[in-house]
Amino acid sequence: MQAEPQAFDRVLSSMCTEPHPAAREAAERFLATNPGDPGTYPRVAALEEEAVALLGEIASLGEPAGYVASGGTEANLQAARIARERADGATPNVVMPESGHFSFHKAADVLGVELRIVPTDDDRRADVEAVRASVDEDTAAVIGVAGSTEYGRVDPIPELGAIAREVGALLHVDAAWGGFVLPFTDYEWNFEHAPVDTMTIDPHKMGQAAIPAGGLLVREESLLDELAVDTPYLESTSQATLTGTRSGAGVASAVAAIEALWPDGYAAGYERARANAEWLAAALADRGYDVVEPTLPLVAADLPTETFEALRAEGWRISRTGSGELRVVCMPHVTREMLEAFVADVDRLAARPRAAVSGDD
Ligand code: 0PR
């Protein structure tokens, strides 16, 4: 096999990034271990406890419990599953802003719970009054997003927590992407800021771990019991994860990345990413494009379809929001030089007449 993975030098809309060198090395070393069988692979099992402890530190959770999941999708699904198990009624529902990730649609489908989607406000954050109007005694969970996929917005988590508590629902925070930058901001998003019960926080996104490394944190260990099944022929007695065999690479690389970068490396990375996002937003606004003001390091801007297509044809790995805006995620591999080259291409390609764009030059 001669194939090489593609380079990251034109990847602008992904939430994946180059793993930290220590994470890459740890992933390779632990590639063949299975944290799903701690009786056989105790070293990686011990590393998983460390990973959860470190994630707890990042999210201000005093006595952390949780596990390293395959990604944000699994963590979100498991959080919804915990809530469903805790709910009293026969027809539980989960309330989420429209900015929530599509993984919750999968979760609702698999779990057979009703997903109630409520509008966002003018700043693309969960509309608190709409959430309040949607919850009822059958609400199992209220979901808040801390770093939304399309616009990088942070929902008013304490307000959502208060609503959840009023109706006896759990509060789940999806910080899959935002969790590794939010500690360096003034946002209220973590376990100390609000009555958060469960949280998704993924090392394989801003955390710079290797894929697969998602994170599920729960406030009380007993919440994990809702997920546990007996494992009769393993030396361990029960398993709370959704997948059985799991990659030790994700677990080991999560620990390696966090040990290398928390907190100073992540803080410096966040400052760089924020400066890049602000620079790009200003550069696009200067050129007359409508730009959604970045809050976390993610820029959305309205580019004409032809320009967007021409940029893709030049090899830029870019994608769009549901409403069609270009979406640039300032991940650690996204440098100022990359963004300058990108903006230079925007200028060049936007200036071209239509016919030339679709031509084969
Ligand atoms: N929650 C949020 C807020 C997310 O943004 C994502 C993924 C998830 C949960 C699900 O996480 P997993 O994909 O780890 O299961 N958001 C990205 C997205 O949908 C995922 C992604 C990553 C897409 C890299 C493309 C890509 O190249 O845009």
Side-chain angles (χ1 to χ4, degrees), residues 121-305:
D121 65 15
D122 291 347
D123 191 33
R124 299 171 172 81
R125 292 152 41 104
D127 181 326
V128 173
E129 289 318 313
V131 172
R132 196 187 306 280
S134 265
V135 297
D136 57 26
E137 72 236 17
D138 286 335
T139 301
V142 173
I143 293 164
V145 192
S148 62
T149 311
E150 294 185 295
Y151 300 104
R153 274 1 190 207
V154 182
D155 288 336
I157 303 297
E159 287 85 342
L160 297 181
I163 296 172
R165 284 296 176 267
E166 278 165 31
V167 293
L170 298 190
L171 173 66
H172 174 64
V173 171
D174 183 357
W177 176 71
F180 282 80
V181 294
L182 287 165
F184 314 109
T185 69
D186 293 333
Y187 285 107
E188 294 192 299
W189 66 285
N190 71 31
F191 285 89
E192 273 180 4
H193 296 140
V196 179
D197 296 292
T198 57
M199 180 182 286
T200 295
I201 171 168
D202 288 353
H204 75 197
K205 295 189 171 73
M206 279 295 195
Q208 289 170 247
I211 303 166
L216 175 68
L217 287 177
V218 299
R219 187 182 283 277
E220 309 280 344
E221 179 99 45
S222 63
L223 289 164
L224 277 187
D225 296 342
E226 304 293 350
L227 305 173
V229 298
D230 295 339
T231 52
Y233 46 83
L234 296 184
E235 282 308 301
S236 47
T237 53
S238 73
Q239 195 174 81
T241 55
L242 187 60
T243 53
T245 302
R246 291 185 288 143
S247 173
V251 170
S253 72
V255 173
I258 298 171
E259 280 185 349
L261 294 167
W262 172 257
D264 297 350
Y266 289 129
Y270 167 64
E271 287 307 328
R272 213 165 30 241
R274 188 171 70 149
N276 280 338
E278 279 166 12
W279 181 87
L280 178 66
L284 293 174
D286 282 350
R287 285 159 175 79
Y289 299 112
D290 279 339
V291 175
V292 180
E293 199 53 44
T295 50
L296 294 183
L298 196 164
V299 180
D302 218 354
L303 253 60
T305 304

Side-chain angles (χ1 to χ4, degrees), residues 14-16 71-73 76 101-103 147 149 174 176 202 204-205 327:
S14 181
M15 288 190 167
C16 302
T73 300
N76 283 340
H101 190 253
F102 56 73
S103 48
T149 311
D174 183 357
D202 288 353
H204 75 197
K205 295 189 171 73
R327 171 179 158 271

Side-chain angles (χ1 to χ4, degrees), residues 67-78:
Y67 73 88
V68 176
S70 54
T73 300
E74 180 184 339
N76 283 340
L77 187 147
Q78 293 282 74

